[in-house]
């Protein structure tokens, strides 16, 4: 099961259909709930249950198991979101280097993100640079900003790109 780490989500969520397809032992600690979540665009999602599910991630120090409280959400548009409840409890940070991206756990373990476990063999991907290379950055704002769907905004600032090839 692939999950998205969503630093804008205050809680971890799993799609109702994805949850139903999990093995019985993963679904045993279910608590029925009728509640709603507000999304970033202001729409609401129905929560049908809460459940604690042990998740496992492969790290440089072996497989790490963490128990996560998930809200089972009807019509969630992705299979699984790990929110700030997960990151606050288990994550120490994110590390981006030239060719690798890792979630750093509080015990110091590094978990490769999004297929990073496989070595990149595409030379174009390895050498691509410039303003069109995808990047994820943490931006701290000194005021509230509202973005409309399918819009963009430019923020003044700078970023530091780690280029340690040994990572």
């Amino acid at each position: 099961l692939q999950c998205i780490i969503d630093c804008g989500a205050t809680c971890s969520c799993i799609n109702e259909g994805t949850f139903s397809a999990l093995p019985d032992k993963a679904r045993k600690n279910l608590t029925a709930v009728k509640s709603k979540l507000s999304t970033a665009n202001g729409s609401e999602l129905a929560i049908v249950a809460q459940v604690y599910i042990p998740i496992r991630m492969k790290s440089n120090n072996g497989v790490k198991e963490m128990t996560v409280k998930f809200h089972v959400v009807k019509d969630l548009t992705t299979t699984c979101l790990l929110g700030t409840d997960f990151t606050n409890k288990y994550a120490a940070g994110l590390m981006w280097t030239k060719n690798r991206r890792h979630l750093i756990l509080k015990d110091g373990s590094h978990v490769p993100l999004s297929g990073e476990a496989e070595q990149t063999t595409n030379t174009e991907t390895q050498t691509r640079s410039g303003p069109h290379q995808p990047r994820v950055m943490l931006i701290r704002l000194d005021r509230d900003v509202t973005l409309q769907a399918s819009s963009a905004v430019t923020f003044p600032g700078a970023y530091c790109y780690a280029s340690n090839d040994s990572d």
Side-chain angles (χ1 to χ4, degrees):
L1 177 66
Q2 288 194 345
C3 295
I4 295 172
I5 298 174
D6 186 347
C7 62
T10 57
C11 59
S12 297
C13 300
I14 189 167
N15 176 288
E16 185 178 29
T18 302
F19 173 75
S20 297
L22 292 177
D24 289 341
K25 69 179 185 176
R27 294 184 286 128
K28 69 179 180 177
N29 297 321
L30 181 74
T31 303
V33 173
K34 281 196 171 192
S35 186
K36 293 186 186 281
L37 288 173
S38 293
T39 66
N41 70 6
S43 63
E44 292 186 339
L45 294 172
I47 300 172
V48 295
Q50 291 178 352
V51 64
Y52 288 87
I53 302 174
I55 63 169
R56 293 176 192 89
M57 295 182 177
K58 292 180 186 177
S59 80
N60 63 323
N61 292 326
V63 176
K64 299 296 178 178
E65 183 170 304
M66 298 155 275
T67 301
V68 179
K69 177 182 175 182
F70 284 99
H71 295 275
V72 181
V73 178
K74 189 179 187 79
D75 300 324
L76 186 65
T77 57
T78 190
T79 56
C80 176
L81 291 176
L82 294 173
T84 56
D85 57 337
F86 169 82
T87 57
N88 289 340
K89 186 172 182 180
Y90 295 110
L94 295 170
M95 181 177 69
W96 266 254
T97 58
K98 188 173 182 178
N99 292 317
R100 297 184 182 153
R101 292 154 190 86
H102 291 91
L103 170 67
I104 303 171
L105 300 177
K106 289 187 176 178
D107 71 357
S109 299
H110 291 208
V111 176
L113 297 177
S114 188
E116 294 291 330
E118 299 91 36
Q119 193 70 345
T120 304
T121 57
N122 182 332
T123 306
E124 178 187 347
T125 303
Q126 291 177 352
T127 60
R128 181 176 54 179
S129 63
H132 300 294
Q133 182 175 3
R135 299 205 190 277
V136 175
M137 291 179 261
L138 172 65
I139 301 172
R140 297 193 192 280
L141 302 174
D142 60 0
R143 60 185 168 82
D144 290 341
V145 174
T146 303
L147 299 176
Q148 299 300 318
S150 300
S151 66
V153 65
T154 303
F155 297 102
Y159 67 92
C160 178
Y161 183 68
S163 61
N164 183 351
D165 288 3
S166 64
D167 288 335

